[in-house]
Amino acid sequence: DADVTQTPRNRITKTGKRIMLECSQTKGHDRMYWYRQDPGLGLRLIYYSFDVKDINKGEISDGYSVSRQAQAKFSLSLESAIPNQTALYFCATSEREGRTHTGELFFGEGSRLTVL
Amino acid sequence: AQSVTQLDSQVPVFEEAPVELRCNYSSSVSVYLFWYVQYPNQGLQLLLKYLSGSTLVKGINGFEAEFNKSQTSFHLRKPSVHISDTAEYFCAVSGRGSARQLTFGSGTQLTVLP
């Protein structure tokens, strides 16, 4: 089983609909992230969470919200989806701050979202 | 603040030929450097990383990269590529400060031709 699991893997929806992408991890990491990937733009950070009570906006948080339900679960919501939110979304985890923390991320397999 | 520039968006190369994927970074602090690979329809997986020590880093699948501090580069190389190396490759940098957020380049699509 994958250490970082995303659901759904693929979703097609219509403009204005509410969408939730879910992420769960078994790595025991404190930090979790949501990225969006668009062709030619690489990965851009949407939100990140250093623990259950610590949520932070990334560089492109407008139009998105998140919930950290538990150490192992971090969900991303689009309250009212629009076509330019069509993208591949990745959840990732990393270790907590400390001597061994390097910033290395561990990724899920991605959730492809299409907004019509 | 930190940034990463991958100079080539597409690199086509014939099978068994050598390849170099270029990456330059900027940062106001010392850095950790990473290369990730994304095979079609999959997530990103770590190819190799530079944390400290030897500037030549070896990774999985025969890839290696060299950290050049004076040129702020971390180019990825492989002496002989296979069809199965066709993928998108991302360079990333993490500052050694307290935040240690990973910043990604825009990616390089490596296509290995028969």
Side-chain angles (χ1 to χ4, degrees):
Chain A
D1 289 341
D3 293 326
V4 183
T5 302
Q6 294 183 230
T7 56
R9 294 291 312 280
N10 286 284
R11 181 73 184 269
I12 300 173
T13 190
K14 294 181 179 180
T15 297
K17 294 291 187 182
R18 184 177 187 275
I19 294 296
M20 179 180 287
L21 306 179
E22 299 184 331
C23 176
S24 63
Q25 53 116 346
T26 58
K27 296 193 72 67
H29 288 164
D30 288 327
R31 298 185 172 190
M32 298 187 73
Y33 307 78
W34 276 104
Y35 283 88
R36 137 173 205 166
Q37 184 182 16
D38 298 278
L41 295 179
L43 276 78
R44 292 181 291 167
L45 184 62
I46 306 172
Y47 270 96
Y48 60 102
S49 169
F50 284 177
D51 65 37
V52 174
K53 296 181 180 179
D54 182 12
I55 306 288
N56 304 280
K57 292 182 178 181
E59 63 178 296
I60 55 163
S61 59
D62 288 349
Y64 301 95
S65 62
V66 291
S67 173
R68 184 83 182 265
Q69 302 94 326
Q71 189 211 30
K73 296 184 182 294
F74 191 38
S75 60
L76 175 72
S77 294
L78 289 67
E79 296 300 326
S80 179
I82 57 177
N84 76 0
Q85 291 178 312
T86 292
L88 184 56
Y89 291 85
F90 285 103
C91 176
T93 71
S94 71
E95 294 178 336
R96 69 169 57 185
E97 184 67 25
R99 184 174 57 83
T100 61
H101 178 56
T102 64
E104 179 181 349
L105 294 174
F106 298 84
F107 286 87
E109 294 194 333
S111 296
R112 185 169 297 280
L113 176 65
T114 302
V115 184
L116 302 176
Chain B
Q2 57 205 28
S3 65
V4 179
T5 301
Q6 291 183 244
L7 297 164
D8 306 297
S9 60
Q10 307 257 0
V11 174
V13 63
F14 287 106
E15 194 173 19
E16 298 184 3
V19 70
E20 179 180 82
L21 305 184
R22 296 181 292 169
C23 172
N24 286 89
Y25 69 92
S26 66
S27 176
S28 56
V29 299
S30 297
V31 296
Y32 299 122
L33 293 157
F34 305 83
W35 276 98
Y36 282 84
V37 59
Q38 183 182 26
Y39 298 106
N41 300 313
Q42 294 187 25
L44 281 74
Q45 64 182 86
L46 185 68
L47 199 57
L48 50 78
K49 59 187 176 185
Y50 170 78
L51 304 181
S52 65
S54 172
T55 57
L56 184 62
V57 181
K58 294 188 183 299
I60 61 172
N61 300 337
F63 283 92
E64 63 181 31
E66 186 158 17
F67 170 53
N68 187 319
K69 187 175 181 179
S70 63
Q71 297 188 2
T72 60
S73 68
F74 191 54
H75 300 333
L76 181 70
R77 302 185 182 99
K78 186 170 182 177
S80 176
V81 294
H82 299 144
I83 297 287
S84 59
D85 292 323
T86 294
E88 188 151 23
Y89 292 79
F90 292 93
C91 182
V93 62
S94 167
R96 296 193 186 199
S98 60
R100 295 185 190 172
Q101 297 290 1
L102 214 57
T103 300
F104 287 87
S106 56
T108 298
Q109 175 64 45
L110 173 64
T111 302
V112 181
L113 306 168

